[in-house]
Amino acid sequence: MLRSLNSGISALQQFQERMDVIGNNIANVNTTGFKSARVDFADAFSQTLGNTGGSLLQIGTGVATSAIRNQFTQGAIARTGTLTDLAISGQGFFVVRNAETNAQYLTRDGSFQLDANGYLVTATGLRLQGYADAGLTTLGDLRIDNTGAPGGSTAGVASFTIDTDGYIRVRLSDGTEFIRGQVLLQNVQNPHALAKEGQNLYSNIAAAGPLARPERPNTNGLGTVISGALELSNVDLAQEFSTLITTQRAFQAGARVVTTSDEILAELVNLKR
């Protein structure tokens, strides 16, 4: 069989994968906190035909996908005015927990809301993690209520704010103000090891080399928290369409190699007639 046929087929396979990645990027251009991906190619194994004068005679056998990497560049910050919306300006991820399974995930999607019990949760009910007590010593689910209020005040919550360092400041209906908790951020050494789980969540945290424990925003290289804002997708539509066109042309060229190789094989078969 012609080696060019194998090379052409490998090109079709890999460029189809790249088209799939591009399509997913474009589909998520308006997804909060979405990180685009790119496909990296590498040449496949080369067949050595011989050695002439110290120079190897090698013919490649096509192309392979070496990696599909998520691009963790900063997305634009858009103001929403909703206090429970949080964006990260800089490095880091929010940590959220499934209260039923205790599984933890990382996310850059800060579109949180308050549930019926006052917990800060994602759209699917995962609870935001941080210092969950007024003394800022215990990691757990962040909640907006009067727990830990000075003097044991039992007044209801009138309002609250979350500052750039993640401090949750609560004001009660009797005028009492105190720090209820703090949003903490996690970071990893190798974000490309994170696995996308859907719903803007990442798993496989241990393999990515996380910090020993979540840290305060604006420390240890972590970014700041912006309340009343969301981080938009980092998909660059102009770049995606440009890559889409070049990938389409490369796919067409690969298809031409396959058809031409098929025609040559047909000619070889006809030599017997």
Side-chain angles (χ1 to χ4, degrees):
M1 181 180 291
L2 295 177
R3 298 182 186 88
S4 60
L5 187 57
N6 282 332
S7 296
I9 292 173
S10 73
L12 297 183
Q13 292 173 332
Q14 309 319 314
F15 287 122
Q16 179 59 60
E17 288 186 2
R18 182 187 242 181
M19 288 289 291
D20 293 340
V21 171
I22 294 171
N24 185 62
N25 287 343
I26 294 175
N28 285 282
V29 68
N30 288 323
T31 301
T32 303
F34 178 79
K35 300 305 177 184
S36 62
R38 77 163 196 258
V39 179
D40 292 341
F41 294 135
D43 61 334
F45 177 78
S46 293
Q47 184 176 2
T48 302
L49 303 181
N51 189 325
T52 302
S55 298
L56 291 176
L57 301 179
Q58 292 184 304
I59 297 179
T61 56
V63 63
T65 297
S66 62
I68 298 178
R69 301 181 183 276
N70 295 316
Q71 306 299 293
F72 288 92
T73 55
Q74 177 76 49
I77 304 295
R79 293 286 180 179
T80 65
T82 302
L83 289 178
T84 54
D85 284 342
L86 303 177
I88 301 174
S89 178
Q91 300 294 315
F93 299 85
F94 297 112
V95 182
V96 294
R97 184 181 74 91
N98 186 321
E100 296 180 357
T101 65
N102 203 36
Q104 291 195 350
Y105 304 92
L106 301 183
T107 185
R108 292 281 296 196
D109 180 2
S111 50
F112 299 110
Q113 57 193 13
L114 293 178
D115 68 6
N117 297 312
Y119 289 103
L120 283 165
V121 298
T122 66
T124 56
L126 303 184
R127 295 177 178 178
L128 180 60
Q129 301 296 288
Y131 283 134
D133 62 324
L136 305 181
T137 58
T138 304
L139 295 176
D141 305 329
L142 294 179
R143 191 177 188 182
I144 308 298
D145 59 14
N146 58 14
T147 302
S153 174
T154 58
V157 175
S159 62
F160 71 94
T161 60
I162 302 175
D163 65 20
T164 56
D165 290 329
Y167 290 109
I168 302 173
R169 304 178 187 276
V170 171
R171 186 174 188 276
L172 303 181
S173 57
D174 63 1
T176 302
E177 296 184 5
F178 70 106
I179 295 177
R180 174 64 182 86
Q182 185 179 24
V183 177
L184 299 180
L185 302 180
Q186 178 61 275
N187 206 4
V188 294
Q189 295 182 14
N190 180 21
H192 301 299
L194 294 173
K196 288 184 175 181
E197 293 289 338
Q199 301 296 327
N200 298 329
L201 303 175
Y202 296 96
S203 63
N204 203 36
I205 302 171
L211 300 173
R213 58 184 291 166
E215 300 279 357
R216 304 170 189 271
N218 208 22
T219 62
N220 203 16
L222 295 169
T224 57
V225 173
I226 303 175
S227 179
L230 292 173
E231 180 185 8
L232 304 182
S233 168
N234 70 348
V235 173
D236 183 339
L237 270 182
Q239 179 63 43
E240 294 300 326
F241 279 120
S242 174
T243 306
L244 179 68
I245 293 171
T246 58
T247 302
Q248 179 189 15
R249 294 291 179 255
F251 188 93
Q252 291 173 338
R256 176 60 63 185
V257 171
V258 173
T259 56
T260 302
S261 298
D262 179 64
E263 290 171 1
I264 292 174
L265 288 173
E267 289 294 333
L268 290 174
V269 171
N270 290 334
L271 287 176
K272 294 181 61 179
R273 298 178 182 177

